[in-house]
Amino acid sequence: MAYRKISADMLFTGYTLLPPGQALILNDNTIEAIIPVEAAGEDLQYFPGILCPGFINSHCHLELSHLKNVIPAGTGLIPFIETILKNRDAPPGKIREAMAAGQEEMWANGIVAVGDICNTTDSLSVKSKGKILYRNFIELLGFIPGTADRIYESGREVLAAFRDNEKLSGPAGLVPHAPYTVSRPLFEKINHDQVAGIISIHNQESEEENYFFRGKKNLFTGLYESLEIDISFFRPTGKTSLQTYFSWLSQPAGILLVHNTFMNAGDIDFLQAAIQQTHQSVFCCLCPNANLYIENQLPPVDLFLEKNLPLLLGTDSLASNTSLNIVDEINTIRKFFPQIPLEKILQWATSNGAKALGFDTFLGSFEKGKQPGVNVLTQADGSNLLQVQRIL
């Protein structure tokens, strides 16, 4: 048996920071135990810093990696979407090369699993050659009710390709993109398709989204006009986005609400009352660097903590971020919310992410029998910024 013994200044289990003097014991990359250093015997490796499980990137768009440095920062969500639509197509070789580089960047930065948004099968070949585990969210878009059948069937074809390769690329399921791009009939089809499944949805990333559903003047109306899409059928509900659509997703067992930049206390109260009835597991995924890149706005993280919302961390895509590094997201949270304990933020990046993606039986924490990977976090010289080194 290939035992390995590792210690550091501190050890984060995935749930809590333990006091100094702990050693992590592994057997062929599998967690065997956490024991006092004095009981570990010989061959104990020491690393300065904090040992922690491999990171979970709960929200990414690997397919958009070729758009790094293409879209300027600070445009706002609607211009950002328009630029994505204009620049998404590229030579297949360029797209594959960028995805492979993005995947390698994540692995080098200690990420062991990813919740990845997929609109095509482009990422299949890259994922099948990598070491990262993915949950593939096959994203559907279509706001015109009459297109729901066609879009759903097209999505099922992409889903079938992922499921044919599940052993190499990870599990997959259909998900809605966002409430302003998915019709009620398409929501219903996804809801029926994903009984007991895990889904994600982009939620309240812009205040314009709430304006749209409340019937206020908004930029989405202009977006649809520019795309020559007739939405004269649409009737605002007078409610926020979340309060409009959430009941349409009653069947999935797990839901990742992504971004949540403009979620308010009323939305949270509504959400918590709803899931008391449905018993769904709902997580809110924060992608702070992407929020700053697009809207120069951060979610109300203090409010989320006050309301006891379970949180996750994601990087979004290289179209809206400068890196695919969870530590960069952690550093941003610590910069703008210095009162939040590091222990709590690390939980969002490890055990919470593993649970949200359905990987918590083997990832996310240092518990016997798991293979979560091992990272060490240290402070960069002369700063309060963390940096990560993958050990395992």
mmCIF file of all heavy atoms in Angstrom, residues 334-381:
data_model
loop_
_atom_site.group_PDB
_atom_site.id
_atom_site.type_symbol
_atom_site.label_atom_id
_atom_site.label_comp_id
_atom_site.label_asym_id
_atom_site.label_seq_id
_atom_site.Cartn_x
_atom_site.Cartn_y
_atom_site.Cartn_z
ATOM 1 N N ARG A 334 -12.727 37.962 -0.225
ATOM 2 C CA ARG A 334 -12.023 38.448 0.972
ATOM 3 C C ARG A 334 -11.732 39.951 0.881
ATOM 4 O O ARG A 334 -11.730 40.649 1.903
ATOM 5 C CB ARG A 334 -10.724 37.680 1.168
ATOM 6 C CG ARG A 334 -10.915 36.196 1.426
ATOM 7 C CD ARG A 334 -9.587 35.514 1.669
ATOM 8 N NE ARG A 334 -9.096 35.780 3.018
ATOM 9 C CZ ARG A 334 -7.825 35.739 3.363
ATOM 10 N NH1 ARG A 334 -6.889 35.485 2.452
ATOM 11 N NH2 ARG A 334 -7.451 35.960 4.611
ATOM 12 N N LYS A 335 -11.498 40.455 -0.301
ATOM 13 C CA LYS A 335 -11.233 41.883 -0.481
ATOM 14 C C LYS A 335 -12.466 42.722 -0.169
ATOM 15 O O LYS A 335 -12.388 43.738 0.547
ATOM 16 C CB LYS A 335 -10.758 42.150 -1.910
ATOM 17 C CG LYS A 335 -10.579 43.628 -2.231
ATOM 18 C CD LYS A 335 -10.183 43.832 -3.690
ATOM 19 C CE LYS A 335 -10.092 45.312 -4.031
ATOM 20 N NZ LYS A 335 -9.717 45.529 -5.466
ATOM 21 N N PHE A 336 -13.617 42.310 -0.692
ATOM 22 C CA PHE A 336 -14.820 43.123 -0.560
ATOM 23 C C PHE A 336 -15.658 42.766 0.673
ATOM 24 O O PHE A 336 -16.493 43.571 1.105
ATOM 25 C CB PHE A 336 -15.675 42.996 -1.826
ATOM 26 C CG PHE A 336 -15.104 43.701 -3.017
ATOM 27 C CD1 PHE A 336 -14.301 43.027 -3.928
ATOM 28 C CD2 PHE A 336 -15.342 45.044 -3.228
ATOM 29 C CE1 PHE A 336 -13.759 43.673 -5.033
ATOM 30 C CE2 PHE A 336 -14.810 45.715 -4.320
ATOM 31 C CZ PHE A 336 -14.011 45.023 -5.226
ATOM 32 N N PHE A 337 -15.424 41.587 1.224
ATOM 33 C CA PHE A 337 -16.162 41.153 2.413
ATOM 34 C C PHE A 337 -15.169 40.594 3.442
ATOM 35 O O PHE A 337 -15.204 39.412 3.772
ATOM 36 C CB PHE A 337 -17.207 40.091 2.046
ATOM 37 C CG PHE A 337 -18.190 40.541 0.992
ATOM 38 C CD1 PHE A 337 -17.980 40.261 -0.349
ATOM 39 C CD2 PHE A 337 -19.331 41.249 1.357
ATOM 40 C CE1 PHE A 337 -18.880 40.678 -1.321
ATOM 41 C CE2 PHE A 337 -20.242 41.675 0.394
ATOM 42 C CZ PHE A 337 -20.013 41.396 -0.950
ATOM 43 N N PRO A 338 -14.283 41.446 3.958
ATOM 44 C CA PRO A 338 -13.197 40.964 4.822
ATOM 45 C C PRO A 338 -13.693 40.369 6.142
ATOM 46 O O PRO A 338 -12.934 39.668 6.817
ATOM 47 C CB PRO A 338 -12.362 42.216 5.058
ATOM 48 C CG PRO A 338 -13.296 43.358 4.823
ATOM 49 C CD PRO A 338 -14.215 42.901 3.737
ATOM 50 N N GLN A 339 -14.935 40.644 6.489
ATOM 51 C CA GLN A 339 -15.474 40.127 7.744
ATOM 52 C C GLN A 339 -15.861 38.647 7.666
ATOM 53 O O GLN A 339 -16.109 38.011 8.698
ATOM 54 C CB GLN A 339 -16.706 40.954 8.168
ATOM 55 C CG GLN A 339 -17.950 40.733 7.324
ATOM 56 C CD GLN A 339 -17.940 41.512 5.995
ATOM 57 O OE1 GLN A 339 -16.904 42.024 5.574
ATOM 58 N NE2 GLN A 339 -19.090 41.594 5.369
ATOM 59 N N ILE A 340 -15.910 38.081 6.465
ATOM 60 C CA ILE A 340 -16.303 36.680 6.318
ATOM 61 C C ILE A 340 -15.099 35.784 6.614
ATOM 62 O O ILE A 340 -14.046 35.929 5.986
ATOM 63 C CB ILE A 340 -16.835 36.396 4.903
ATOM 64 C CG1 ILE A 340 -18.043 37.277 4.607
ATOM 65 C CG2 ILE A 340 -17.221 34.920 4.767
ATOM 66 C CD1 ILE A 340 -18.585 37.127 3.192
ATOM 67 N N PRO A 341 -15.216 34.846 7.530
ATOM 68 C CA PRO A 341 -14.081 33.971 7.849
ATOM 69 C C PRO A 341 -13.642 33.146 6.640
ATOM 70 O O PRO A 341 -14.482 32.666 5.865
ATOM 71 C CB PRO A 341 -14.636 33.070 8.961
ATOM 72 C CG PRO A 341 -15.814 33.807 9.526
ATOM 73 C CD PRO A 341 -16.395 34.575 8.379
ATOM 74 N N LEU A 342 -12.342 32.979 6.485
ATOM 75 C CA LEU A 342 -11.810 32.166 5.399
ATOM 76 C C LEU A 342 -12.377 30.747 5.451
ATOM 77 O O LEU A 342 -12.658 30.138 4.408
ATOM 78 C CB LEU A 342 -10.286 32.130 5.473
ATOM 79 C CG LEU A 342 -9.577 31.259 4.433
ATOM 80 C CD1 LEU A 342 -9.884 31.718 3.021
ATOM 81 C CD2 LEU A 342 -8.076 31.241 4.695
ATOM 82 N N GLU A 343 -12.556 30.223 6.632
ATOM 83 C CA GLU A 343 -13.104 28.885 6.802
ATOM 84 C C GLU A 343 -14.435 28.723 6.073
ATOM 85 O O GLU A 343 -14.683 27.714 5.406
ATOM 86 C CB GLU A 343 -13.295 28.609 8.296
ATOM 87 C CG GLU A 343 -13.907 27.275 8.650
ATOM 88 C CD GLU A 343 -14.061 27.124 10.148
ATOM 89 O OE1 GLU A 343 -14.867 27.875 10.749
ATOM 90 O OE2 GLU A 343 -13.364 26.266 10.721
ATOM 91 N N LYS A 344 -15.280 29.732 6.166
ATOM 92 C CA LYS A 344 -16.593 29.668 5.520
ATOM 93 C C LYS A 344 -16.459 29.720 4.000
ATOM 94 O O LYS A 344 -17.123 28.966 3.270
ATOM 95 C CB LYS A 344 -17.482 30.808 6.027
ATOM 96 C CG LYS A 344 -18.926 30.730 5.543
ATOM 97 C CD LYS A 344 -19.787 31.763 6.217
ATOM 98 C CE LYS A 344 -20.038 31.409 7.670
ATOM 99 N NZ LYS A 344 -20.909 30.218 7.813
ATOM 100 N N ILE A 345 -15.603 30.609 3.501
ATOM 101 C CA ILE A 345 -15.419 30.740 2.047
ATOM 102 C C ILE A 345 -14.855 29.444 1.461
ATOM 103 O O ILE A 345 -15.265 29.001 0.375
ATOM 104 C CB ILE A 345 -14.505 31.932 1.729
ATOM 105 C CG1 ILE A 345 -15.090 33.222 2.303
ATOM 106 C CG2 ILE A 345 -14.327 32.073 0.214
ATOM 107 C CD1 ILE A 345 -14.150 34.415 2.219
ATOM 108 N N LEU A 346 -13.915 28.825 2.180
ATOM 109 C CA LEU A 346 -13.350 27.564 1.703
ATOM 110 C C LEU A 346 -14.405 26.464 1.646
ATOM 111 O O LEU A 346 -14.352 25.582 0.778
ATOM 112 C CB LEU A 346 -12.186 27.140 2.596
ATOM 113 C CG LEU A 346 -10.919 27.990 2.507
ATOM 114 C CD1 LEU A 346 -9.869 27.486 3.501
ATOM 115 C CD2 LEU A 346 -10.353 27.984 1.088
ATOM 116 N N GLN A 347 -15.369 26.515 2.540
ATOM 117 C CA GLN A 347 -16.449 25.534 2.503
ATOM 118 C C GLN A 347 -17.256 25.685 1.218
ATOM 119 O O GLN A 347 -17.647 24.689 0.595
ATOM 120 C CB GLN A 347 -17.358 25.705 3.717
ATOM 121 C CG GLN A 347 -18.446 24.645 3.824
ATOM 122 C CD GLN A 347 -19.266 24.783 5.096
ATOM 123 O OE1 GLN A 347 -18.862 25.476 6.029
ATOM 124 N NE2 GLN A 347 -20.412 24.147 5.131
ATOM 125 N N TRP A 348 -17.501 26.936 0.781
ATOM 126 C CA TRP A 348 -18.224 27.152 -0.476
ATOM 127 C C TRP A 348 -17.475 26.523 -1.649
ATOM 128 O O TRP A 348 -18.101 26.027 -2.595
ATOM 129 C CB TRP A 348 -18.380 28.646 -0.757
ATOM 130 C CG TRP A 348 -18.982 29.450 0.354
ATOM 131 C CD1 TRP A 348 -19.662 28.994 1.454
ATOM 132 C CD2 TRP A 348 -18.935 30.884 0.499
ATOM 133 N NE1 TRP A 348 -20.045 30.039 2.252
ATOM 134 C CE2 TRP A 348 -19.613 31.208 1.694
ATOM 135 C CE3 TRP A 348 -18.401 31.909 -0.280
ATOM 136 C CZ2 TRP A 348 -19.764 32.534 2.127
ATOM 137 C CZ3 TRP A 348 -18.540 33.212 0.151
ATOM 138 C CH2 TRP A 348 -19.222 33.516 1.338
ATOM 139 N N ALA A 349 -16.138 26.569 -1.579
ATOM 140 C CA ALA A 349 -15.298 26.118 -2.696
ATOM 141 C C ALA A 349 -15.006 24.628 -2.671
ATOM 142 O O ALA A 349 -14.399 24.106 -3.608
ATOM 143 C CB ALA A 349 -13.972 26.894 -2.674
ATOM 144 N N THR A 350 -15.425 23.940 -1.608
ATOM 145 C CA THR A 350 -15.099 22.513 -1.490
ATOM 146 C C THR A 350 -16.337 21.663 -1.213
ATOM 147 O O THR A 350 -16.988 21.203 -2.142
ATOM 148 C CB THR A 350 -14.028 22.308 -0.392
ATOM 149 O OG1 THR A 350 -14.476 22.874 0.848
ATOM 150 C CG2 THR A 350 -12.705 22.954 -0.777
ATOM 151 N N SER A 351 -16.686 21.488 0.047
ATOM 152 C CA SER A 351 -17.775 20.556 0.391
ATOM 153 C C SER A 351 -19.125 21.012 -0.151
ATOM 154 O O SER A 351 -19.932 20.182 -0.598
ATOM 155 C CB SER A 351 -17.846 20.348 1.904
ATOM 156 O OG SER A 351 -18.035 21.563 2.598
ATOM 157 N N ASN A 352 -19.403 22.324 -0.118
ATOM 158 C CA ASN A 352 -20.680 22.792 -0.662
ATOM 159 C C ASN A 352 -20.774 22.510 -2.160
ATOM 160 O O ASN A 352 -21.810 22.063 -2.671
ATOM 161 C CB ASN A 352 -20.847 24.294 -0.418
ATOM 162 C CG ASN A 352 -21.399 24.612 0.952
ATOM 163 O OD1 ASN A 352 -21.368 23.778 1.852
ATOM 164 N ND2 ASN A 352 -21.896 25.825 1.138
ATOM 165 N N GLY A 353 -19.681 22.792 -2.877
ATOM 166 C CA GLY A 353 -19.681 22.552 -4.318
ATOM 167 C C GLY A 353 -19.853 21.090 -4.651
ATOM 168 O O GLY A 353 -20.596 20.732 -5.567
ATOM 169 N N ALA A 354 -19.160 20.224 -3.908
ATOM 170 C CA ALA A 354 -19.288 18.785 -4.152
ATOM 171 C C ALA A 354 -20.717 18.319 -3.916
ATOM 172 O O ALA A 354 -21.266 17.520 -4.692
ATOM 173 C CB ALA A 354 -18.316 18.025 -3.250
ATOM 174 N N LYS A 355 -21.341 18.807 -2.860
ATOM 175 C CA LYS A 355 -22.727 18.423 -2.573
ATOM 176 C C LYS A 355 -23.677 18.928 -3.653
ATOM 177 O O LYS A 355 -24.556 18.184 -4.120
ATOM 178 C CB LYS A 355 -23.149 18.971 -1.207
ATOM 179 C CG LYS A 355 -24.552 18.554 -0.787
ATOM 180 C CD LYS A 355 -24.886 19.067 0.605
ATOM 181 C CE LYS A 355 -26.298 18.636 1.011
ATOM 182 N NZ LYS A 355 -26.651 19.178 2.361
ATOM 183 N N ALA A 356 -23.509 20.170 -4.063
ATOM 184 C CA ALA A 356 -24.399 20.748 -5.068
ATOM 185 C C ALA A 356 -24.337 19.993 -6.393
ATOM 186 O O ALA A 356 -25.364 19.828 -7.070
ATOM 187 C CB ALA A 356 -24.039 22.217 -5.288
ATOM 188 N N LEU A 357 -23.139 19.532 -6.770
ATOM 189 C CA LEU A 357 -22.976 18.822 -8.038
ATOM 190 C C LEU A 357 -23.213 17.319 -7.916
ATOM 191 O O LEU A 357 -23.121 16.595 -8.906
ATOM 192 C CB LEU A 357 -21.586 19.077 -8.618
ATOM 193 C CG LEU A 357 -21.268 20.524 -9.011
ATOM 194 C CD1 LEU A 357 -19.868 20.612 -9.608
ATOM 195 C CD2 LEU A 357 -22.301 21.078 -9.989
ATOM 196 N N GLY A 358 -23.510 16.853 -6.714
ATOM 197 C CA GLY A 358 -23.773 15.428 -6.519
ATOM 198 C C GLY A 358 -22.529 14.576 -6.437
ATOM 199 O O GLY A 358 -22.583 13.367 -6.661
ATOM 200 N N PHE A 359 -21.390 15.183 -6.088
ATOM 201 C CA PHE A 359 -20.115 14.469 -6.035
ATOM 202 C C PHE A 359 -19.598 14.309 -4.605
ATOM 203 O O PHE A 359 -18.424 13.989 -4.398
ATOM 204 C CB PHE A 359 -19.059 15.213 -6.863
ATOM 205 C CG PHE A 359 -19.371 15.330 -8.337
ATOM 206 C CD1 PHE A 359 -18.893 16.407 -9.072
ATOM 207 C CD2 PHE A 359 -20.138 14.374 -8.984
ATOM 208 C CE1 PHE A 359 -19.160 16.516 -10.427
ATOM 209 C CE2 PHE A 359 -20.420 14.481 -10.342
ATOM 210 C CZ PHE A 359 -19.934 15.552 -11.066
ATOM 211 N N ASP A 360 -20.419 14.535 -3.619
ATOM 212 C CA ASP A 360 -19.943 14.597 -2.243
ATOM 213 C C ASP A 360 -19.636 13.238 -1.631
ATOM 214 O O ASP A 360 -19.084 13.188 -0.528
ATOM 215 C CB ASP A 360 -20.936 15.354 -1.361
ATOM 216 C CG ASP A 360 -22.349 14.820 -1.451
ATOM 217 O OD1 ASP A 360 -22.811 14.559 -2.575
ATOM 218 O OD2 ASP A 360 -23.003 14.666 -0.403
ATOM 219 N N THR A 361 -19.950 12.155 -2.315
ATOM 220 C CA THR A 361 -19.566 10.847 -1.762
ATOM 221 C C THR A 361 -18.078 10.581 -1.928
ATOM 222 O O THR A 361 -17.526 9.708 -1.247
ATOM 223 C CB THR A 361 -20.352 9.704 -2.424
ATOM 224 O OG1 THR A 361 -20.125 9.741 -3.831
ATOM 225 C CG2 THR A 361 -21.834 9.815 -2.114
ATOM 226 N N PHE A 362 -17.400 11.354 -2.813
ATOM 227 C CA PHE A 362 -15.977 11.092 -3.040
ATOM 228 C C PHE A 362 -15.127 12.352 -3.175
ATOM 229 O O PHE A 362 -13.905 12.265 -3.205
ATOM 230 C CB PHE A 362 -15.764 10.192 -4.262
ATOM 231 C CG PHE A 362 -16.498 10.640 -5.494
ATOM 232 C CD1 PHE A 362 -15.881 11.429 -6.436
ATOM 233 C CD2 PHE A 362 -17.811 10.257 -5.707
ATOM 234 C CE1 PHE A 362 -16.552 11.847 -7.578
ATOM 235 C CE2 PHE A 362 -18.498 10.660 -6.848
ATOM 236 C CZ PHE A 362 -17.868 11.466 -7.781
ATOM 237 N N LEU A 363 -15.751 13.537 -3.240
ATOM 238 C CA LEU A 363 -15.003 14.790 -3.354
ATOM 239 C C LEU A 363 -15.436 15.760 -2.256
ATOM 240 O O LEU A 363 -16.426 15.542 -1.567
ATOM 241 C CB LEU A 363 -15.249 15.447 -4.722
ATOM 242 C CG LEU A 363 -14.781 14.712 -5.975
ATOM 243 C CD1 LEU A 363 -15.137 15.533 -7.216
ATOM 244 C CD2 LEU A 363 -13.293 14.417 -5.934
ATOM 245 N N GLY A 364 -14.681 16.840 -2.097
ATOM 246 C CA GLY A 364 -15.119 17.961 -1.290
ATOM 247 C C GLY A 364 -14.637 18.012 0.138
ATOM 248 O O GLY A 364 -14.679 19.080 0.762
ATOM 249 N N SER A 365 -14.165 16.909 0.700
ATOM 250 C CA SER A 365 -13.756 16.927 2.108
ATOM 251 C C SER A 365 -12.757 15.811 2.391
ATOM 252 O O SER A 365 -12.706 14.807 1.681
ATOM 253 C CB SER A 365 -14.973 16.780 3.023
ATOM 254 O OG SER A 365 -15.640 15.564 2.779
ATOM 255 N N PHE A 366 -11.991 15.997 3.460
ATOM 256 C CA PHE A 366 -11.041 14.989 3.919
ATOM 257 C C PHE A 366 -11.757 14.012 4.849
ATOM 258 O O PHE A 366 -11.718 14.150 6.077
ATOM 259 C CB PHE A 366 -9.861 15.646 4.642
ATOM 260 C CG PHE A 366 -8.967 16.481 3.767
ATOM 261 C CD1 PHE A 366 -8.337 17.615 4.272
ATOM 262 C CD2 PHE A 366 -8.725 16.127 2.443
ATOM 263 C CE1 PHE A 366 -7.487 18.373 3.487
ATOM 264 C CE2 PHE A 366 -7.886 16.886 1.643
ATOM 265 C CZ PHE A 366 -7.273 18.009 2.162
ATOM 266 N N GLU A 367 -12.424 13.043 4.274
ATOM 267 C CA GLU A 367 -13.119 12.006 5.041
ATOM 268 C C GLU A 367 -12.695 10.636 4.514
ATOM 269 O O GLU A 367 -12.450 10.472 3.308
ATOM 270 C CB GLU A 367 -14.628 12.179 4.930
ATOM 271 C CG GLU A 367 -15.139 13.475 5.554
ATOM 272 C CD GLU A 367 -16.641 13.650 5.401
ATOM 273 O OE1 GLU A 367 -17.397 13.133 6.247
ATOM 274 O OE2 GLU A 367 -17.061 14.307 4.417
ATOM 275 N N LYS A 368 -12.626 9.696 5.384
ATOM 276 C CA LYS A 368 -12.137 8.354 5.043
ATOM 277 C C LYS A 368 -12.874 7.796 3.827
ATOM 278 O O LYS A 368 -14.102 7.822 3.758
ATOM 279 C CB LYS A 368 -12.308 7.408 6.232
ATOM 280 C CG LYS A 368 -11.728 6.010 5.995
ATOM 281 C CD LYS A 368 -11.859 5.145 7.233
ATOM 282 C CE LYS A 368 -11.422 3.708 6.984
ATOM 283 N NZ LYS A 368 -10.001 3.612 6.568
ATOM 284 N N GLY A 369 -12.087 7.311 2.871
ATOM 285 C CA GLY A 369 -12.647 6.703 1.674
ATOM 286 C C GLY A 369 -12.817 7.641 0.506
ATOM 287 O O GLY A 369 -13.040 7.189 -0.618
ATOM 288 N N LYS A 370 -12.713 8.947 0.738
ATOM 289 C CA LYS A 370 -12.859 9.915 -0.350
ATOM 290 C C LYS A 370 -11.531 10.149 -1.063
ATOM 291 O O LYS A 370 -10.457 9.904 -0.500
ATOM 292 C CB LYS A 370 -13.402 11.243 0.179
ATOM 293 C CG LYS A 370 -14.847 11.180 0.670
ATOM 294 C CD LYS A 370 -15.389 12.573 0.958
ATOM 295 C CE LYS A 370 -16.844 12.524 1.392
ATOM 296 N NZ LYS A 370 -17.429 13.878 1.578
ATOM 297 N N GLN A 371 -11.633 10.661 -2.302
ATOM 298 C CA GLN A 371 -10.465 11.023 -3.097
ATOM 299 C C GLN A 371 -10.625 12.465 -3.588
ATOM 300 O O GLN A 371 -10.810 12.709 -4.783
ATOM 301 C CB GLN A 371 -10.288 10.068 -4.268
ATOM 302 C CG GLN A 371 -9.990 8.634 -3.848
ATOM 303 C CD GLN A 371 -9.793 7.712 -5.035
ATOM 304 O OE1 GLN A 371 -10.488 7.797 -6.042
ATOM 305 N NE2 GLN A 371 -8.822 6.821 -4.915
ATOM 306 N N PRO A 372 -10.549 13.426 -2.671
ATOM 307 C CA PRO A 372 -10.905 14.809 -3.005
ATOM 308 C C PRO A 372 -9.794 15.630 -3.639
ATOM 309 O O PRO A 372 -10.033 16.779 -4.021
ATOM 310 C CB PRO A 372 -11.273 15.391 -1.643
ATOM 311 C CG PRO A 372 -10.355 14.671 -0.701
ATOM 312 C CD PRO A 372 -10.228 13.271 -1.248
ATOM 313 N N GLY A 373 -8.592 15.059 -3.759
ATOM 314 C CA GLY A 373 -7.448 15.873 -4.136
ATOM 315 C C GLY A 373 -6.972 16.677 -2.946
ATOM 316 O O GLY A 373 -7.696 16.842 -1.957
ATOM 317 N N VAL A 374 -5.747 17.192 -3.043
ATOM 318 C CA VAL A 374 -5.173 17.957 -1.932
ATOM 319 C C VAL A 374 -4.492 19.202 -2.491
ATOM 320 O O VAL A 374 -3.644 19.108 -3.382
ATOM 321 C CB VAL A 374 -4.147 17.132 -1.132
ATOM 322 C CG1 VAL A 374 -3.612 17.961 0.042
ATOM 323 C CG2 VAL A 374 -4.759 15.828 -0.635
ATOM 324 N N ASN A 375 -4.880 20.362 -1.961
ATOM 325 C CA ASN A 375 -4.249 21.637 -2.295
ATOM 326 C C ASN A 375 -3.577 22.212 -1.058
ATOM 327 O O ASN A 375 -3.958 21.888 0.074
ATOM 328 C CB ASN A 375 -5.285 22.654 -2.792
ATOM 329 C CG ASN A 375 -5.927 22.255 -4.107
ATOM 330 O OD1 ASN A 375 -5.346 21.510 -4.890
ATOM 331 N ND2 ASN A 375 -7.133 22.758 -4.344
ATOM 332 N N VAL A 376 -2.622 23.097 -1.265
ATOM 333 C CA VAL A 376 -2.076 23.882 -0.165
ATOM 334 C C VAL A 376 -2.195 25.355 -0.545
ATOM 335 O O VAL A 376 -1.865 25.753 -1.669
ATOM 336 C CB VAL A 376 -0.614 23.496 0.167
ATOM 337 C CG1 VAL A 376 0.321 23.760 -1.001
ATOM 338 C CG2 VAL A 376 -0.147 24.237 1.412
ATOM 339 N N LEU A 377 -2.716 26.141 0.396
ATOM 340 C CA LEU A 377 -2.891 27.573 0.193
ATOM 341 C C LEU A 377 -1.828 28.326 0.971
ATOM 342 O O LEU A 377 -1.587 28.047 2.152
ATOM 343 C CB LEU A 377 -4.275 28.013 0.669
ATOM 344 C CG LEU A 377 -5.480 27.366 -0.002
ATOM 345 C CD1 LEU A 377 -6.766 27.852 0.651
ATOM 346 C CD2 LEU A 377 -5.496 27.667 -1.483
ATOM 347 N N THR A 378 -1.204 29.279 0.311
ATOM 348 C CA THR A 378 -0.214 30.132 0.960
ATOM 349 C C THR A 378 -0.503 31.583 0.604
ATOM 350 O O THR A 378 -1.213 31.875 -0.363
ATOM 351 C CB THR A 378 1.219 29.777 0.519
ATOM 352 O OG1 THR A 378 1.294 29.856 -0.919
ATOM 353 C CG2 THR A 378 1.596 28.381 0.964
ATOM 354 N N GLN A 379 0.069 32.490 1.378
ATOM 355 C CA GLN A 379 -0.061 33.910 1.077
ATOM 356 C C GLN A 379 1.038 34.341 0.135
ATOM 357 O O GLN A 379 2.200 33.972 0.308
ATOM 358 C CB GLN A 379 0.003 34.754 2.355
ATOM 359 C CG GLN A 379 -1.296 34.787 3.146
ATOM 360 C CD GLN A 379 -1.288 35.869 4.198
ATOM 361 O OE1 GLN A 379 -0.239 36.300 4.629
ATOM 362 N NE2 GLN A 379 -2.465 36.304 4.618
ATOM 363 N N ALA A 380 0.649 35.119 -0.875
ATOM 364 C CA ALA A 380 1.637 35.674 -1.785
ATOM 365 C C ALA A 380 2.519 36.653 -1.025
ATOM 366 O O ALA A 380 2.068 37.330 -0.094
ATOM 367 C CB ALA A 380 0.945 36.365 -2.952
ATOM 368 N N ASP A 381 3.772 36.737 -1.406
ATOM 369 C CA ASP A 381 4.730 37.599 -0.716
ATOM 370 C C ASP A 381 4.240 39.047 -0.680
ATOM 371 O O ASP A 381 3.848 39.610 -1.709
ATOM 372 C CB ASP A 381 6.092 37.547 -1.413
ATOM 373 C CG ASP A 381 6.764 36.193 -1.248
ATOM 374 O OD1 ASP A 381 6.373 35.466 -0.315
ATOM 375 O OD2 ASP A 381 7.656 35.879 -2.048
#
